[in-house]
Amino acid sequence: MTSAPRLTTLALAALLALPGVASAQSRYSSQPSMRLGGLIGFDSGDLDGLALRLDGEMDLQRISPNVMLVGVGSVGWSHLSDDLGYGYDVTNDVFTIMPAARLAVALAPQVGVYGDLGLGLYHASLEVDVPDPFTGLRRTVDDSATGLAMRIGAGAYFNIAPKVRLVGEIALHPYFGDYDDDTFTFMVGATFGL
């Protein structure tokens, strides 16, 4: 076989393979590669309360046909409180900025699960409302702390439309430094493709 027929055979084989490659690429790229979303839920640790989080997601690398490495940037706020009894009330507002790596596994075209591992910063602002037993007046004692925080999470998603995804997540949040606590969050939300 001369080189010209060999090149013709290779070109014909490549043209015949193009529809399969195009359908595989369209199947893999049918979901948006960037998403913005919000989650709301419950934060539980030494203090309990409301948790809110905004996420930005970007697909980084397809590891296999069903597994994607996703970069996630999160900004979170938890409003935690407790009544210690005898008139003592504690409130703690915790703000976090956390980049994370997410491994997302598609179980079906519309359903998948994921695992998160993030490392970022937190700022905790603590207020203790203290009663004065002699005067009956109340005074507030303030304190704050800044340090490192982690997120170790697992979740599931369901695509209800091409650009809309419902999300449910549970995560462990270890905090390091002056605010030494490990909290769990239970959150639900939605993300929207760009």
Side-chain angles (χ1 to χ4, degrees), residues 107-176:
L107 302 177
Q110 304 302 325
V111 179
V113 295
Y114 64 85
D116 267 7
L117 182 60
L119 179 65
L121 296 175
Y122 75 86
H123 178 76
S125 179
L126 181 72
E127 288 186 0
V128 181
D129 194 21
V130 181
D132 187 329
F134 302 108
T135 64
L137 299 174
R138 302 183 71 81
R139 63 188 179 94
T140 301
V141 178
D142 297 326
D143 195 10
S144 65
T146 302
L148 290 176
M150 290 183 69
R151 181 172 73 231
I152 305 164
Y157 65 85
F158 179 70
N159 297 319
I160 60 171
K163 292 190 173 187
V164 181
R165 174 179 286 182
L166 298 180
V167 178
E169 177 184 292
I170 181 171
L172 170 67
H173 299 266
Y175 295 94
F176 306 98

Side-chain angles (χ1 to χ4, degrees), residues 37-189:
L39 293 96
I40 185 170
F42 184 70
D43 196 337
S44 178
D46 289 344
L47 303 173
D48 301 328
L50 173 71
L52 298 173
R53 195 174 86 210
L54 296 175
D55 284 356
E57 304 174 13
M58 184 170 69
D59 293 345
L60 298 178
Q61 177 70 44
R62 182 163 298 283
I63 296 171
S64 74
N66 294 334
V67 180
M68 176 70 75
L69 178 63
V70 181
V72 181
S74 300
V75 176
W77 170 67
S78 293
H79 180 71
L80 312 173
S81 62
D82 196 7
D83 179 1
L84 301 178
Y86 303 104
Y88 288 82
D89 296 320
V90 179
T91 303
N92 193 12
D93 289 301
V94 182
F95 299 91
T96 57
I97 298 175
M98 189 164 310
R102 174 173 293 173
L103 204 59
V105 180
L107 302 177
Q110 304 302 325
V111 179
V113 295
Y114 64 85
D116 267 7
L117 182 60
L119 179 65
L121 296 175
Y122 75 86
H123 178 76
S125 179
L126 181 72
E127 288 186 0
V128 181
D129 194 21
V130 181
D132 187 329
F134 302 108
T135 64
L137 299 174
R138 302 183 71 81
R139 63 188 179 94
T140 301
V141 178
D142 297 326
D143 195 10
S144 65
T146 302
L148 290 176
M150 290 183 69
R151 181 172 73 231
I152 305 164
Y157 65 85
F158 179 70
N159 297 319
I160 60 171
K163 292 190 173 187
V164 181
R165 174 179 286 182
L166 298 180
V167 178
E169 177 184 292
I170 181 171
L172 170 67
H173 299 266
Y175 295 94
F176 306 98
D178 291 337
Y179 178 58
D180 186 13
D181 192 13
D182 295 339
T183 68
F184 284 93
T185 54
F186 308 90
M187 306 186 83
V188 294

